Amino acid sequence: MTDTPGVPGGGRRSSDALPPAHSWFAIEWHANGIMRIWEPHVSRLLRANIFLVKGRDRDLVVDAGMGIVSLRDFLRPFTDKPITHLVTHSHVDHVGSSHEFGDDLLMHTAEAAMLRNPPDDWRLSFEEYPEDKRRRLQAAGFDTTGLLIAALPHEGFDYRNWRVPGVAPTRLVDEGDVVDLGDRRFEVMHTPGHSPGSISLWEPASGTLIGGDAIYDGLLIDTLPDSDRSAYCVTMERLRSVPATVVHGGHRESFGASKLKKLCDDYLSTF
Ligand SMILES: [Zn+2]
Ligand SMILES: [Zn+2]
């Protein structure tokens, strides 16, 4: 989860009033065969990034959005190889379509249970959120009224029926493991703090860091029930020293080396 206090939740009470979306996903190609994908009609709070990384033998899909629309179907024109799916952590905005990639699904052991059995309180209407969860978001400055989508993925879509199906990982990964796409190798970094099983991917050959919710250019969240601020500090010290030239975060736009250091320093300076 993220981010940006004050962004309206939509203020709508019914999906009847929502316009249909022309296109559910937005994309942006980066260097080194990496495509950033996001869901512009999802509220800023849960509008997370998905990354497609092109490899010689396999393609890699990092995170899976909300699962409101099939990610696998959307990606079909962009990939003709077997897909490895890596989940940076098991929050709702990153695992919605993970069940579509269950044949080769990698994640950290600390959050595998949540991926198998997603919480029942993940809903598309703030009115259906449990009171304590809603209060916590309000305290952080978020508008928790209305719906979490501003358009319908297709005519007749009923937000009340949306649920995230559980799925089991096929491989549990941890610090130092490698995700091998044939011609490119990503090293797994265990980067807890935002959540206990948060992982990042580091490709030394291209200077690419894919950070999940450990790092992005926005307000970082360390106040969730399973957040750990001292672990987050260790993570930030580590990320600060990664010689990355490009960072693809869990939310918002990608950025470069100086922003990476600034975001880490800004976080560490609050202690
Ligand atoms: Zn997130
Ligand atoms: Zn998160």
Side-chain angles (χ1 to χ4, degrees):
M1 287 171 77
T2 177
D3 182 11
T4 321
V7 170
R12 300 171 195 271
R13 296 293 183 275
S14 157
S15 61
D16 302 340
L18 297 182
H22 176 63
S23 171
W24 189 255
F25 295 101
I27 65 167
E28 172 183 278
W29 279 102
H30 288 261
N32 301 306
I34 295 183
M35 184 167 82
R36 181 170 80 93
I37 305 150
W38 68 99
E39 296 168 284
H41 306 292
V42 170
S43 90
R44 179 60 98 170
L45 178 67
L46 295 177
R47 192 185 306 153
N49 287 327
I50 301 158
F51 295 99
L52 171 66
V53 182
K54 304 290 290 172
R56 186 192 65 203
D57 301 338
R58 305 186 70 80
D59 290 336
L60 172 66
V61 174
V62 179
D63 288 340
M66 293 288 287
I68 294 168
V69 165
S70 170
L71 178 63
R72 186 125 203 171
D73 286 350
F74 174 76
L75 290 177
R76 235 174 276 281
F78 303 105
T79 173
D80 55 0
K81 304 209 172 65
I83 291 175
T84 291
H85 178 44
L86 180 132
V87 174
T88 61
H89 66 303
S90 63
H91 288 160
V92 59
D93 46 335
H94 299 261
V95 302
S97 278
S98 288
H99 65 100
E100 300 180 319
F101 302 92
D103 41 334
D104 190 22
L105 200 169
L106 281 52
M107 73 175 308
H108 192 274
T109 185
E111 294 182 40
M114 199 198 281
L115 191 75
R116 284 194 188 91
N117 294 297
D120 192 45
D121 60 16
W122 287 350
R123 300 295 165 86
L124 290 180
S125 164
F126 280 117
E127 266 75 43
E128 295 178 61
Y129 267 45
E131 200 44 46
D132 61 326
K133 197 168 173 179
R134 210 170 152 183
R135 235 182 283 122
R136 210 169 42 243
L137 289 169
Q138 279 168 347
F142 293 104
D143 177 356
T144 56
T145 57
L147 302 180
L148 285 116
I149 51 174
L152 296 179
H154 55 79
E155 218 175 304
F157 176 81
D158 187 342
Y159 70 87
R160 287 167 289 244
N161 296 333
W162 171 84
R163 295 289 184 279
V164 174
V167 60
T170 57
R171 181 180 157 203
L172 298 173
V173 293
D174 206 340
E175 178 72 28
D177 286 336
V178 169
V179 180
D180 191 345
L181 305 183
D183 57 342
R184 51 196 308 182
R185 292 163 59 84
F186 286 85
E187 298 168 5
V188 174
M189 297 175 69
H190 183 208
T191 49
H194 171 75
S195 69
S198 277
I199 50 178
S200 302
L201 288 177
W202 165 235
E203 187 181 40
S206 68
T208 300
L209 178 69
I210 300 178
D213 279 1
I215 188 91
Y216 52 78
D217 188 10
L219 182 66
L220 300 168
I221 305 289
D222 61 3
T223 53
L224 299 169
D226 58 355
S227 295
D228 180 336
R229 299 180 79 203
S230 57
Y232 215 150
C233 284
V234 175
T235 285
M236 285 308 203
E237 294 281 7
R238 290 191 67 204
L239 292 178
R240 195 188 184 288
S241 66
V242 174
T245 52
V246 60
V247 182
H248 301 297
H251 295 259
R252 308 278 192 121
E253 291 76 21
S254 304
F255 51 92
S258 56
K259 178 64 73 72
L260 172 63
K261 286 190 172 51
K262 184 180 184 322
L263 289 169
C264 295
D265 287 344
D266 286 352
Y267 184 84
L268 291 165
S269 72
T270 63
F271 289 88

